Amino acid sequence: MSKAMEPDLQTPLGRASGQVAKESGKEWNHPSDHWLRGFVLDNRASLGTLVVFIVMMAVFMIANPTVFTTWYLYSSVLTTLPVALFVVVPLVFVVTCGEIDLSFPATMGFASWVFALVVQAGYDPFLGIAAALVTGTLLGFLVGSLVVYGGLSSLIATLGMNFLLRGLIQIINEGKSTALTNLADSSAYAIFSSQIWGIPVQIFWAIAFVVFSALLYNRHRFGAQVKVVGDNPDSAKQMGIDVKRVRVKVFVFVGIGAAIAGTFSVMINFTWWPTAGDGYLLPVLASVFVGGTPTWGGIGTVVGGAIGAVTVSFIQTGVVAAGLSGFYVQFFNGLIIILSLLGHKWNQARYR
């Protein structure tokens, strides 16, 4: 072999190929470097959830176009959807951290009870909102401390706390509700639960909360810490992250979100019920998993969770409008959870 044909062992392969590319006048790029492909890869969970929502709505519209082409249907969904969004988004943080929180329905009920008591006593509703937020924060801290510092399983601890708080509410109130008829005349109601051009104003607050949480999750140090802790707690410790503090913070965030959700539910109905929050357990969990946040921690998507909440919110209306009994709603909610978990498991290699 001639010397000219011998390979240059001193030049790295990447450097040599790059030099060839420069000599040819073209710069080589990986196919994933294209902005559109990169966007799809980075947001495949959210986009997948969006596709499911579009297909579902198309099926419902074909089944009953009369119902799904009227604004009253969408106005009704937009009225109650924010309540779910305020809980779904914080739960994405908890699940990403490798935990679960099943106490949020009772936290919703307890914090909204405090809000109702303050308003019923004749105080300004803004003071009631502040009291509800403090209550939700304290309950979230209590739940997080039981899990983190008490060493309890988050599944068992939060489930037990849910029963404990709900039982306490029922014991004190004896199943009685609280009507807040004067709430409609307050400035707090006008700001948080009125309508603008026929659109419920609470949906704008919910969207703002989703945007803030998405920035917190994707652009802030706290979101990065949550992902690292959920992926590998030991590595997080070596990086100097206070793992216990981060885990407690995500439960506090759920408590705050549940307090806001409970307060909005009271403002919508002008009544506080001892069972407030009970009906959101399965739909909220379904929204988180349908939205593309798997159960093994380390990854998740806030926007996907929000789209999942929208999807689940339309299931009940769609099932009834399609001519099926309301008993099918829970069946479809459970089915969606199982199918979404199977989808995440199948796609695990591409996620991790």
Side-chain angles (χ1 to χ4, degrees):
M1 180 184 293
S2 64
K3 187 174 181 179
M5 297 177 62
E6 293 179 359
D8 185 1
L9 301 178
Q10 302 299 324
T11 304
L13 180 59
R15 185 177 175 183
S17 59
Q19 185 176 359
V20 172
K22 288 181 179 179
E23 291 176 356
S24 62
K26 295 181 180 180
E27 185 177 354
W28 182 86
N29 291 318
H30 192 274
S32 63
D33 291 340
H34 191 276
W35 69 270
L36 181 58
R37 181 179 175 86
F39 176 81
V40 172
L41 291 176
D42 292 339
N43 299 277
R44 57 183 176 272
S46 303
L47 293 175
T49 306
L50 181 60
V51 170
V52 171
F53 172 71
I54 293 174
V55 172
M56 183 191 74
M57 292 300 295
V59 172
F60 286 157
M61 194 166 293
I62 293 174
N64 196 334
T66 303
V67 174
F68 282 89
T69 54
T70 58
W71 169 246
Y72 299 105
L73 167 70
Y74 299 96
S75 177
S76 176
V77 173
L78 292 178
T79 300
T80 57
L81 174 62
V83 178
L85 286 175
F86 284 121
V87 186
V88 170
V89 170
L91 270 180
V92 171
F93 285 75
V94 171
V95 176
T96 301
C97 205
E99 305 289 352
I100 190 67
D101 190 347
L102 303 180
S103 66
F104 67 86
T107 302
M108 287 177 60
F110 205 96
S112 60
W113 176 38
V114 173
F115 169 76
L117 289 176
V118 173
V119 175
Q120 188 184 41
Y123 294 100
D124 192 280
F126 285 106
L127 182 60
I129 294 174
L133 290 175
V134 172
T135 302
T137 302
L138 292 176
L139 290 177
F141 179 78
L142 175 60
V143 172
S145 298
L146 287 175
V147 174
V148 177
Y149 299 110
L152 302 179
S153 165
S154 60
L155 176 65
I156 304 302
T158 58
L159 185 61
M161 183 59 69
N162 185 56
F163 286 120
L164 188 150
L165 293 176
R166 186 64 65 185
L168 184 61
I169 293 172
Q170 296 286 4
I171 290 172
I172 297 176
N173 292 276
E174 298 181 346
K176 298 177 182 178
S177 61
T178 302
L180 304 172
T181 54
N182 59 337
L183 193 60
D185 300 326
S186 64
S187 57
Y189 174 80
I191 294 174
F192 296 113
S193 193
S194 58
Q195 289 192 354
I196 299 178
W197 302 307
I199 302 175
V201 72
Q202 55 263 35
I203 191 63
F204 297 110
W205 289 103
I207 293 174
F209 183 75
V210 171
V211 172
F212 166 77
S213 300
L215 294 175
L216 184 66
Y217 189 86
N218 297 310
R219 301 294 182 182
H220 195 268
R221 179 177 58 185
F222 176 65
Q225 291 176 345
V226 169
K227 297 172 188 175
V228 174
V229 170
D231 184 64
N232 195 324
D234 294 330
S235 297
K237 290 180 181 179
Q238 295 176 0
M239 296 169 62
I241 298 175
D242 191 335
V243 175
K244 292 184 177 181
R245 180 179 295 180
V246 171
R247 292 172 65 196
V248 170
K249 283 182 178 179
V250 295
F251 285 102
V252 171
F253 192 27
V254 172
I256 294 173
I260 299 174
T263 303
F264 269 76
S265 68
V266 173
M267 287 188 176
I268 292 171
N269 300 310
F270 302 113
T271 305
W272 174 82
W273 301 91
T275 57
D278 264 354
Y280 284 93
L281 180 60
L282 184 59
V284 165
L285 292 177
S287 301
V288 173
F289 298 130
V290 169
T293 300
T295 56
W296 49 78
I299 52 176
T301 165
V302 170
V303 175
I307 299 175
V310 177
T311 303
V312 173
S313 295
F314 275 99
I315 288 179
Q316 181 174 2
T317 306
V319 168
V320 175
L324 298 176
S325 169
F327 297 111
Y328 283 85
V329 175
Q330 287 192 356
F331 168 79
F332 280 107
N333 284 337
L335 180 64
I336 284 179
I337 291 178
I338 294 174
L339 292 179
S340 62
L341 290 177
L342 289 175
H344 295 323
K345 192 68 177 178
W346 173 78
N347 200 31
Q348 181 176 5
R350 281 179 281 178
Y351 270 111
R352 300 297 292 271

